[in-house]
Every structure is written in C-alpha cells, then in structure tokens.
Amino acid sequence: MDYDIAIIGLGPAGATLARLLKSEFKVVALDKKQDCGSDGFNKPCGGLLATDSQRSFIRFNLNLPTDILTDPQIFSVKTLDLQTNLIRNYQRTYINFNRHKFDLWLKSLIPNHVDVKHNTLCKSIERIIDGYQVTFIENNQQKVITAKYVVGADGADSMVRRMRYPTHTIRQYIAIQQWFTEKHPVPFYSCIFDNNITNCYAWSISKDNHFIFGGAFPKKGANEKFEQLKQKLEQNGFIFGSPIKTEKCHVIYPQRWRDFHVGNEQIFLIGEAAGFISASSLEGISYAFDSAEILSQILNGEAKNPNKAYYQKTLKLRLKLLSKIIKAKILTTPLLRKIIMKSKVAHIENIK
C-alpha cells in the first residue's frame, strides 16, 4: 500500500480526523478546496457554531481565531410560521462565524506528515487485495494511489457512500442560499416554516453587513420555491434587494435508523457522508467532530476489527440523531408546530 489511510474530503470531519491521527500512519487526504490562501470551494451554510460544536473545541483544546468570527453576535432566533403568522423568539447561544474561513483554518491545523492534495477530485475507489485503489484528478492529471483504509468525509453527496452502498437512498434537498447587502435596521437570525413551500425549513442570518437567506427545498422546482418564499417574506418585513451571490448544494435529511451508514470492509464514513446531520436543524459540524474523534481513537488504538468498533462506538451518536428525527417530525408538522408556538414556552418577548 502507498498509504495506510486515505481521507476523501477535508471539511470539518476530514480535517479533524487528519489532525488527530497519530504520526506513525502514512495518511493522504484529497480535498476539493485549494490551499489556505485562496477562496476555493464554497457551499451554502449559515455559519453558526452550535453548543455541541463548542464543546468539541474544549475537548480539542482549541480556540477560534478572531478573524473567523463575524459581526454581530446575536443571542436569539426569530421563528416564523408563515402558515399561522405566528412569530416567536427563542434564546440560542450560537457563535456567528465565516464558514469558509473556518474550513480553511481547520485544514491549516493538519500536521505536515499528512500528504494533503488540494484542488483534487476523487473519481473512483476499487477494492484490491488488502485495501483499495483510489483514482483522482490533480492538476488535470489522473493519478492512482493505494491505501489500506479509506475514509469517506465527502459530505451529503458522498461518492464513497454511493460506492459502498449502491442501493441505499436517502432523502435529499437542494440547499439554496443568497447573499445581500444588509438593509435591516436591526440584524437578526430567523428560522422559517411554510409547509406549502417546503416540508423542511429556511433560515436567515445577518453577517458582516450582509444579509444571508437560504433554505432546503425539494429537488423538483427548488429555484421557483426559493423565489416564492422570498416574495412571501418581503410581505413580512424582510429586505432583500439584488443578490450578491448564490450558492447551492445537496443536503441529506435522515428519516430512519438505516439512513446512518458507517462503512465496512476497511471503509469508514464520517460526518454527513455517514448521514450524521441533525434532521431538526440541518446542523452537522458537531457530528462531524464527534465521528472524526471516535474514528481517530479507534484507528490510533489499532483495534483488531476497527469497522466493528466504529459501529459500536457511534451507537450513542446515532441514537442522538434519531431523537433529532423525531423532533424534526414534530417541528415540520403544522398542527404540532402551531401548538408549541402558541404555548409560548421558552419564548422571549421583545421590549417595544
């Protein structure tokens, strides 16, 4: 084998695993993004660091650099139900940050003994004796390497997951997000529900004099539904104007226990590639950190059957995500959502 471990993708999951693996391993990491000095690859993301992700930084003994943080830091989320015209404010302790800078910073923490290949595209993974053959494109040239273990950290549309589980399907949405010049007198976060447009949800975030609006929509007619929701929100005081840029990507939406796949036969899936994303909030960074940390401990400990150990050690994580599926079903059911919001439980009134 050319390498002990090949990591496909260097988002929060892949970059964290690459950083935590012991130096005795010969590790290669393939990533779509370019090096840390460039804009590289972007995807729709609100750029809010949830409490569980913050706990991971405590365990990792890491602090966020100030240039990754953005203004303002807001302590509530305005929740709108457009079907009932109910609006509620709920306290949240998110950290507002620049997601792309965050990814590049995590990538910069990877130690030098890891062979990082920037701006690459993985084309195929094929089983060979004692491992896998990985074919990828680097600088417009096709290259081939071999590795004992392959780790899929390549997100919602994971090629590694499709290769390992070719018959498995998981619900996917199209996430669309646009950036605008901020024109609201008071910046805010929001979470928007309207089952007439999407059975998922939409969001808005104020960030460094920009207003970001996005949402997850069924694939069929996603662009039209996005524009339809914008028009309805303009009637509710949202100010958009001309978009500065538009971002799109697939996002998975786990609905059942078997939507979580962690790999087998010397292949491992971490982060969103494993289905590890909250169905109730579409938050995935904390689960990327957790799954990468678990796998690093197993590989560093040289478990006799690392796939079995990883399956067992991620049981608690999968149970937690199952509870998020139940929560999501409640939040996206109009009647139940209406009952919760009308109760005003945890709602904080604004002083007028």
Side-chain angles (χ1 to χ4, degrees):
M1 298 294 108
D2 298 318
Y3 296 92
D4 298 306
I5 303 165
I7 302 172
I8 314 301
L10 284 177
T16 299
L17 178 64
R19 178 174 57 82
L20 295 177
L21 288 171
K22 62 185 183 182
S23 60
E24 288 85 346
F25 288 127
K26 195 172 182 182
V27 181
V28 63
L30 311 181
D31 191 42
K32 283 184 178 180
K33 295 183 292 299
Q34 299 177 18
D35 63 26
C36 293
S38 64
D39 289 338
F41 173 74
N42 282 285
K43 62 180 286 188
C45 176
L48 296 175
L49 201 65
T51 303
D52 286 346
S53 299
Q54 297 170 34
R55 291 193 187 100
S56 295
F57 279 97
I58 298 172
R59 296 196 305 273
F60 297 154
N61 195 27
L62 288 175
N63 297 311
L64 281 175
T66 55
D67 66 329
I68 291 173
L69 303 179
T70 54
D71 289 327
Q73 297 297 325
I74 301 173
F75 303 104
S76 70
V77 57
K78 180 188 295 185
T79 301
L80 296 89
D81 186 337
L82 297 184
Q83 292 175 268
T84 58
N85 292 318
L86 289 171
I87 300 175
R88 298 290 182 261
N89 295 309
Y90 300 107
Q91 182 180 0
R92 292 294 183 268
T93 54
Y94 300 129
I95 294 175
N96 196 0
F97 70 105
N98 182 305
R99 172 59 195 270
H100 184 58
K101 286 184 178 180
F102 178 74
D103 278 7
L104 294 179
W105 171 67
L106 289 175
K107 193 172 170 181
S108 74
L109 299 178
I110 297 172
N112 292 332
H113 62 259
V114 176
D115 185 7
V116 178
K117 296 186 180 296
H118 308 280
N119 196 25
T120 62
L121 179 63
C122 185
K123 300 295 290 185
S124 67
I125 299 170
E126 299 175 35
R127 191 75 159 107
I128 58 175
I129 297 174
D130 295 332
Y132 289 88
Q133 177 178 286
V134 181
T135 303
F136 61 96
I137 304 297
E138 182 182 28
N139 298 324
N140 297 319
Q141 293 184 343
Q142 182 169 295
K143 299 185 178 181
V144 177
I145 58 172
T146 57
K148 180 179 180 180
Y149 298 122
V150 172
V151 180
D154 47 344
D157 202 26
S158 170
M159 184 271 289
V160 182
R161 185 181 67 235
R162 293 198 309 270
M163 183 276 297
R164 185 73 277 170
Y165 304 101
T167 62
H168 176 254
T169 58
I170 183 171
R171 180 187 284 187
Q172 288 192 345
Y173 290 92
I174 299 294
I176 306 175
Q177 183 170 272
Q178 287 184 333
W179 293 59
F180 306 88
T181 299
E182 176 63 277
K183 296 179 181 179
H184 298 93
V186 180
F188 64 97
Y189 302 155
S190 73
C191 177
I192 303 128
F193 294 97
D194 188 339
N195 288 65
N196 293 323
I197 295 178
T198 178
N199 55 358
C200 196
Y201 79 100
W203 59 86
S204 76
I205 299 153
S206 297
K207 192 184 297 285
D208 281 346
N209 298 315
H210 291 94
F211 181 67
I212 304 169
F213 172 70
F217 303 89
K219 290 183 178 181
K220 186 176 181 180
N223 291 327
E224 292 79 6
K225 292 180 182 298
F226 177 76
E227 293 298 329
Q228 183 183 352
L229 187 56
K230 281 172 61 180
Q231 292 175 11
K232 293 185 74 170
L233 288 170
E234 284 180 326
Q235 300 169 12
N236 285 268
F238 282 56
I239 305 171
F240 294 106
S242 299
I244 298 170
K245 64 177 178 178
T246 301
E247 301 163 326
K248 297 181 183 181
C249 76
H250 289 98
V251 60
I252 60 172
Y253 188 86
Q255 304 177 86
R256 54 200 174 177
W257 182 258
R258 62 179 180 272
D259 281 342
F260 305 125
H261 281 299
V262 296
N264 54 31
E265 296 183 4
Q266 298 170 230
I267 281 184
F268 304 89
L269 299 174
I270 60 176
E272 202 171 348
F276 293 163
I277 184 171
S278 169
S280 63
S281 66
L282 301 184
E283 191 275 323
I285 293 177
S286 65
Y287 304 104
F289 287 159
D290 289 346
S291 56
E293 183 181 0
I294 291 168
L295 183 56
S296 71
Q297 293 169 350
I298 290 167
L299 294 176
N300 288 341
E302 300 183 24
K304 290 183 179 180
N305 188 336
N307 280 112
K308 181 178 179 181
Y310 183 58
Y311 180 83
Q312 293 172 337
K313 292 289 186 180
T314 54
L315 176 61
K316 187 181 292 186
L317 200 61
R318 284 176 281 135
L319 287 171
K320 180 178 179 181
L321 285 162
L322 184 63
S323 73
K324 300 296 183 181
I325 293 173
I326 297 170
K327 181 180 178 181
K329 290 184 183 299
I330 294 172
L331 293 176
T332 56
T333 300
L335 177 59
L336 296 177
R337 184 172 67 241
K338 179 181 179 180
I339 292 171
I340 293 170
M341 294 183 70
K342 284 187 74 69
S343 74
K344 293 190 176 183
V345 172
H347 165 63
I348 301 173
E349 294 281 358
N350 291 135
I351 297 175
K352 298 180 181 180

